[in-house]
Amino acid sequence: MIGEKTVTDSRPVAFDATLASTPVWIEVDLSAIKQNLMEIRRFVGPRVKILSVVKANAYGHGLVPVARALADAGADLLAVASVLEGLKLREQGIEGKILVLGQLLPEEAPLVVQHRLTQAIGDEQSAFSLSEAAAELDLPTDVHLKVDTGMGRYGVWWEEAASLTRQVVQMPGLRMGGILTHLAMAGQNTDATQDQLERFKLVVRELEQKNLPAGLRHVANSVGLLKFSESHWDLVRTGLLVYGASPLKEDVQKPFPLKPALSLKSRIRFLKTVPAGRGISYGGTYQASRPTTVATIPLGYAHGYPRALSNRAQALVRGARVQVIGKITMEDLMLDVTDVPGVSIGDEVVLIGRQGSEQITAEELARLARTIPYEILAGLSHGIPRRYF
């Protein structure tokens, strides 16, 4: 009736998130990570310990599940970038040795001591803060002395390393668990790397001459492990390699097989036919040269898929390689699926990983984006659901 009000039910509608499909997800093969660790151990030999780096959400693979898998597989130590990352592992019941590589803030020292983390230090203030906390809590704590032999980042300069070591061993509650340096140009400059290795040797020799303890001596990162056997010392630090990606160029022969552990996947959400001459996405940087079937994928640079891959990368649909076309947007990208028979909404799309006989690796995307595979993997959003098997 005209003028009569319609009464609506204002009660909230029940919300069930399980009814919505996940637009983007990551799959992590933990057995591949364990296999890569086994290959690394075989390569360096039984004398050398392995420290597995799980910083940056385990290079995008997921901090806690990966750390747990590595511990189960026999990693001698784990390394994180911050005290917070170390605490997350302890909260989840991971009990092995955890080395914090990042710089310590004084107020974090009691947390390091209380939760039995091992801190890398490169200055007197950090050592003093840890000693003070160790005395207060009556808990001795291990430290690794970080020596700057050419990185120019954290650490004590190599000329001053012996002096700082003497101070550390005289501080109550501190134990020298190790000494390390970080190679700055192992992938680009052999001469500079040899200079760093020589400086580290000089530091170790000076400690020996002055009867000062060194603990575990370690230099090799993933590149150093592959290219400089003299960098292996007592322990090697494996980051990228343990995840099945290589820091070397794609055409460089690797000394042992690697199995990529991570796959980045989505699904086709929309299909449309674009006539010849039409532009795709912002700026019209791609112009269709023929009637083109365009698939829209709900994955973009907000998920960590670099915008630099616009009009450059490929993806896998029904086992076939297809081209990314147009500018990658915050939440979406477009693919040319014209030549994929039977393509349908809901089809799985692989952005990193294997589908059928085809594979797209982090190294391939890094080359196309003019970056490094570390950035491709570590840049994947923490908000993307991870599935483990």
Side-chain angles (χ1 to χ4, degrees):
M1 182 181 298
I2 296 175
E4 190 173 301
K5 290 185 179 180
T6 302
V7 178
T8 58
D9 189 344
S10 61
R11 289 175 298 179
V13 176
F15 173 71
D16 185 355
T18 62
L19 297 177
S21 63
T22 304
V24 181
W25 70 96
I26 286 170
E27 294 176 0
V28 179
D29 182 353
L30 295 175
S31 68
I33 290 174
K34 293 179 179 181
Q35 180 179 321
N36 293 330
L37 181 66
M38 183 177 66
E39 293 290 349
I40 293 165
R41 190 174 292 284
R42 185 179 293 123
F43 179 70
V44 299
R47 182 189 64 81
V48 179
K49 294 182 181 294
I50 296 178
L51 177 153
S52 294
V53 183
V54 293
K55 65 181 181 179
N57 199 31
Y59 289 44
H61 293 66
L63 174 65
V64 173
V66 168
R68 199 171 273 137
L70 286 165
D72 290 345
D76 298 290
L77 295 89
L78 300 173
V80 294
S82 66
V83 174
L84 179 59
E85 288 178 331
L87 295 180
K88 287 179 180 178
L89 295 182
R90 289 290 189 240
E91 286 170 1
Q92 295 300 315
I94 295 172
E95 293 296 326
K97 291 187 177 181
I98 300 172
L99 175 63
V100 180
L101 294 169
Q103 181 65 21
L104 178 78
L105 292 174
E107 60 266 29
E108 294 175 321
L111 294 171
V112 169
V113 175
Q114 182 181 353
H115 294 279
R116 297 170 292 103
L117 302 175
T118 300
Q119 179 67 47
I121 62 169
D123 65 298
E124 184 182 358
Q125 177 59 57
S126 296
F128 178 77
S129 298
L130 288 166
S131 175
E132 198 174 47
E136 173 126 6
L137 294 166
D138 194 25
L139 287 172
T141 188
D142 290 345
V143 297
H144 283 215
L145 190 72
K146 183 172 284 190
V147 181
D148 192 336
T149 58
M151 183 68 177
R153 194 172 60 178
Y154 298 129
V156 59
W157 288 114
W158 72 93
E159 301 98 331
E160 303 161 11
S163 174
L164 182 56
T165 302
R166 185 178 297 280
Q167 291 177 281
V168 168
V169 298
Q170 291 173 347
M171 291 184 184
L174 298 190
R175 299 181 300 211
M176 276 289 291
I179 183 169
L180 71 143
T181 195
H182 190 63
L183 300 176
M185 291 183 275
Q188 301 89 28
N189 190 319
T190 299
D191 290 341
T193 301
Q194 292 294 351
D195 287 343
Q196 284 194 260
L197 292 171
E198 188 57 35
R199 290 166 189 157
F200 188 76
K201 286 179 189 175
L202 290 173
V203 170
V204 171
R205 192 176 304 137
E206 187 177 4
L207 295 184
E208 291 172 348
Q209 290 169 350
K210 295 181 176 179
N211 242 356
L212 293 170
L216 291 170
R217 304 161 299 177
H218 50 113
V219 176
N221 52 10
S222 288
V223 186
L225 186 154
L226 293 174
K227 292 184 63 178
F228 299 92
S229 59
E230 64 270 40
S231 74
H232 291 183
W233 287 84
D234 302 317
L235 178 152
V236 293
R237 302 188 299 269
T238 60
L240 194 66
L241 287 175
V242 84
Y243 302 107
S246 172
L248 303 180
K249 292 180 179 178
E250 288 178 274
D251 57 353
V252 175
Q253 182 71 32
K254 315 303 185 295
F256 51 86
L258 292 170
K259 185 176 181 182
L262 180 145
S263 298
L264 174 63
K265 298 184 176 183
S266 185
R267 293 188 183 278
I268 294 175
R269 281 295 179 99
F270 192 72
L271 286 168
K272 74 191 312 178
T273 300
V274 175
R278 290 277 175 91
I280 301 295
S281 196
Y282 292 117
T285 58
Y286 181 87
Q287 298 286 319
S289 60
R290 59 174 179 167
T292 303
T293 304
V294 177
T296 300
I297 314 303
L299 180 149
Y301 58 78
H303 301 96
Y305 192 82
R307 191 166 177 266
L309 293 173
S310 300
N311 294 309
R312 298 177 65 84
Q314 294 182 325
L316 304 178
V317 177
R318 297 199 168 206
R321 280 182 171 259
V322 297
Q323 190 69 35
V324 174
I325 56 176
K327 287 288 186 185
I328 294 166
T329 69
M330 185 180 290
E331 299 282 352
D332 299 283
L333 60 81
M334 279 64 73
L335 301 173
D336 179 353
V337 293
T338 309
D339 299 323
V340 181
V343 63
S344 302
I345 288 175
D347 280 352
E348 181 183 86
V349 179
V350 174
L351 290 305
I352 302 174
R354 183 178 293 279
Q355 193 182 66
S357 60
E358 291 283 355
Q359 184 177 27
I360 292 174
T361 63
E363 294 95 318
E364 176 183 333
L365 296 187
R367 171 175 49 80
L368 294 170
R370 298 184 176 91
T371 184
I372 53 178
Y374 300 83
E375 184 176 2
I376 297 295
L377 293 171
L380 294 172
S381 169
H382 290 216
I384 301 175
R386 269 77 171 166
R387 301 172 181 173
Y388 299 92
F389 59 96

